[in-house]
């Protein structure tokens, strides 16, 4: 992959290691740089173009390697340069390998969850015209020596079929440990791992899953006694047989007696018709000039026994 600027001057070594700062490496003695050239911008251009080429080769919807992603993560990028002569005389890039440490939850052979932080292969690309020339193995082996890891200790993020065949051919990595995420680990991954930060018990079969264990059920049957003096319950006073009547002062409602039995509507109306008016009403009728003599005679002619019934 060629660029409009001089790659040989920008990347003097055959394999250049770039971190999140994307700073240009130290230059060889005696080399000069054209004036007003932003070397860091050129490195960012190389990273972006390599990420696009890798995404296109893997049929990804978007690049997973870019200068902005490198600056926001603690990843390391190994860039392989072509030292052979080019028509333009500016050199070219063969490919790259991006790695980084990630905290993962992975399953072991017993399907137990382990929290580990291995070195992960995040992106790997060799130009299509230069594949099967040993460049990929050269770049991968350089990374292993630089990071001081073994191939079976790596975790690979969504590896392609080409990468799986590459690892099987050159490093005899074939048997994988099934995972529930996108990372792939191989047999022997846990052989030299440090004790994990957190290790969960292995999963049970669906038929063995219970809401709680038998020991928990026995524990629930035992009544836990609170410590002293909370275990000394206060004595309850014996309630009186006849509770004292409530006071009718402000804030307390008076004691109500039993309700009267229900009176039918017809009987109530009949009693109202037979009930004579009150003595005060009789006096008002006698003094009322508008009252009719018939009404006065009807009132005075009622027997006294009916009046007592009301």
């Amino acid at each position: 992959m060629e660029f409009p600027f001089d790659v040989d001057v920008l990347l003097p070594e055959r394999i250049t290691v770039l971190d999140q700062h994307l700073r240009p490496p130290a230059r060889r003695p005696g080399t000069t740089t054209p004036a007003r050239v932003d070397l860091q911008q050129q490195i960012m251009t190389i990273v972006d173009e390599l990420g696009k080429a890798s995404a296109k080769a893997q049929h990804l919807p978007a690049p997973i390697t870019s200068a902005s992603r490198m600056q926001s993560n603690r990843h390391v990028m190994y860039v392989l340069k072509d030292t052979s002569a080019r028509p333009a005389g500016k050199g070219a890039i063969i490919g790259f390998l991006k790695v980084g440490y990630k905290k993962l939850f992975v399953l072991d052979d017993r399907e137990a969850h382990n929290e580990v932080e291995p070195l992960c292969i995040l992106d790997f690309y060799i130009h299509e015209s230069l594949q099967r020339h040993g460049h990929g193995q050269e770049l991968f082996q350089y990374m292993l020596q630089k990071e001081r890891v073994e191939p079976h200790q790596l975790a690979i993020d969504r590896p392609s079929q080409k990468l799986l065949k590459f690892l099987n051919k050159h490093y005899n990595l074939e048997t994988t440990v099934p995972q529930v995420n996108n990372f792939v680990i191989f047999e022997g991954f846990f052989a030299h791992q440090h004790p994990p930060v957190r290790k969960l018990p292995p999963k049970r079969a669906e038929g063995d899953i219970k809401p709680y264990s038998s020991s928990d059920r026995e524990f629930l049957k035992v009544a836990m006694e609170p410590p002293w003096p909370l275990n000394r319950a206060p004595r309850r006073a014996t309630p009186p047989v006849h509770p004292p009547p409530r006071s009718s002062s402000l804030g307390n409602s008076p004691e109500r007696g039993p309700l009267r039995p229900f009176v039918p509507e017809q009987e109530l109306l009949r009693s109202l018709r037979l009930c004579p008016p009150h003595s005060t009403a009789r006096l008002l009728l006698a003094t009322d000039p508008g009252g009719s003599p018939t009404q006065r005679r009807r009132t005075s002619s009622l027997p006294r026994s009916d009046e007592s019934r009301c």
Side-chain angles (χ1 to χ4, degrees), residues 32-53:
T32 57
T33 304
R36 293 178 296 180
V37 175
D38 191 351
L39 300 181
Q40 188 176 19
Q41 186 61 40
Q42 292 180 356
I43 292 179
M44 295 174 65
T45 302
I46 292 177
V47 173
D48 289 336
E49 294 301 323
L50 289 175
K52 293 177 183 178

Side-chain angles (χ1 to χ4, degrees), residues 47-48 50-56 60-66 69 123:
V47 173
D48 289 336
L50 289 175
K52 293 177 183 178
S54 176
K56 183 179 179 181
L60 300 178
I64 58 177
T65 299
S66 63
R69 287 176 177 267
D123 203 357

Side-chain angles (χ1 to χ4, degrees), residues 41-94:
Q41 186 61 40
Q42 292 180 356
I43 292 179
M44 295 174 65
T45 302
I46 292 177
V47 173
D48 289 336
E49 294 301 323
L50 289 175
K52 293 177 183 178
S54 176
K56 183 179 179 181
Q58 301 180 60
H59 305 285
L60 300 178
I64 58 177
T65 299
S66 63
S68 59
R69 287 176 177 267
M70 286 288 298
Q71 291 175 337
S72 60
N73 295 280
R74 300 179 63 87
H75 297 161
V76 179
M77 189 170 177
Y78 294 85
V79 181
L80 179 62
K81 183 186 68 170
D82 189 4
T83 55
S84 61
R86 288 291 178 184
K90 297 182 179 181
I93 301 296
I94 298 177

Side-chain angles (χ1 to χ4, degrees), residues 8 72 82 89 114 153 225 234 242 250 278 282:
D8 287 334
S72 60
D82 189 4
N114 298 267
Q153 296 175 329
E225 183 179 358
H242 301 287
L250 182 63
H278 198 266
R282 190 183 297 113

Side-chain angles (χ1 to χ4, degrees), residues 10 13 17 28 52 77 197 229 261-263 273 277 282 306:
L10 183 64
E13 303 296 333
V17 182
R28 295 172 183 171
K52 293 177 183 178
M77 189 170 177
V197 180
F262 177 74
V263 181
R273 287 197 301 268
R282 190 183 297 113
D306 292 342

Side-chain angles (χ1 to χ4, degrees), residues 104-302:
L104 304 175
F105 285 93
V106 295
L107 301 176
D108 56 16
D109 298 334
R110 299 177 300 169
E111 296 187 352
H113 293 268
N114 298 267
E115 184 178 359
V116 295
E117 193 172 2
L119 184 67
C120 302
I121 304 298
L122 304 176
D123 203 357
F124 190 20
Y125 170 73
I126 299 295
H127 195 270
E128 290 78 4
S129 62
L130 297 174
Q131 293 180 4
R132 301 182 182 276
H133 288 75
H135 300 302
Q137 185 181 6
E138 177 187 1
L139 184 59
F140 204 92
Q141 191 65 30
Y142 183 89
M143 181 274 300
L144 293 177
Q145 295 176 359
K146 192 77 174 179
E147 301 292 339
R148 297 181 179 180
V149 294
E150 297 294 331
H152 60 267
Q153 296 175 329
L154 299 171
I156 299 91
D157 184 14
R158 290 171 290 189
S160 61
Q161 292 298 324
K162 284 186 177 181
L163 181 54
L164 293 176
K165 293 179 180 179
F166 170 85
L167 296 174
N168 184 20
K169 176 182 178 181
H170 297 286
Y171 300 100
N172 198 24
L173 296 178
E174 182 178 5
T175 305
T176 62
V177 181
Q179 302 295 319
V180 296
N181 50 28
N182 295 325
F183 285 84
V184 172
I185 61 175
F186 292 91
E187 186 179 8
F189 177 82
F190 297 98
H192 304 284
Q193 283 286 337
H194 296 288
V197 180
R198 183 183 181 189
K199 188 170 184 179
L200 303 178
K203 297 188 301 181
R204 296 181 179 179
E206 295 183 359
D208 298 337
I209 297 177
K210 300 178 181 179
Y212 45 82
S213 62
S214 58
S215 59
D216 295 336
R217 289 197 294 269
E218 295 297 332
F219 172 77
L220 294 176
K221 293 179 182 179
V222 179
M224 296 296 294
E225 183 179 358
W228 186 90
L230 300 179
N231 57 356
R232 302 186 62 182
R235 296 182 179 179
R236 296 183 179 179
T238 305
V241 180
H242 301 287
R246 298 182 181 178
S247 174
S248 60
S249 60
L250 182 63
N252 294 326
S253 60
E255 187 73 21
R256 295 184 180 182
L259 298 176
R260 296 181 180 180
F262 177 74
V263 181
E265 182 180 359
Q266 294 181 358
E267 184 179 350
L268 179 62
L269 294 177
R270 186 170 59 84
S271 62
L272 290 177
R273 287 197 301 268
L274 297 177
C275 181
H278 198 266
S279 59
T280 305
R282 190 183 297 113
L283 179 61
L284 292 176
L285 291 175
T287 57
D288 186 10
S292 60
T294 308
Q295 180 67 27
R296 288 197 296 270
R297 286 196 301 271
R298 183 190 306 173
T299 305
S300 59
S301 63
L302 289 174

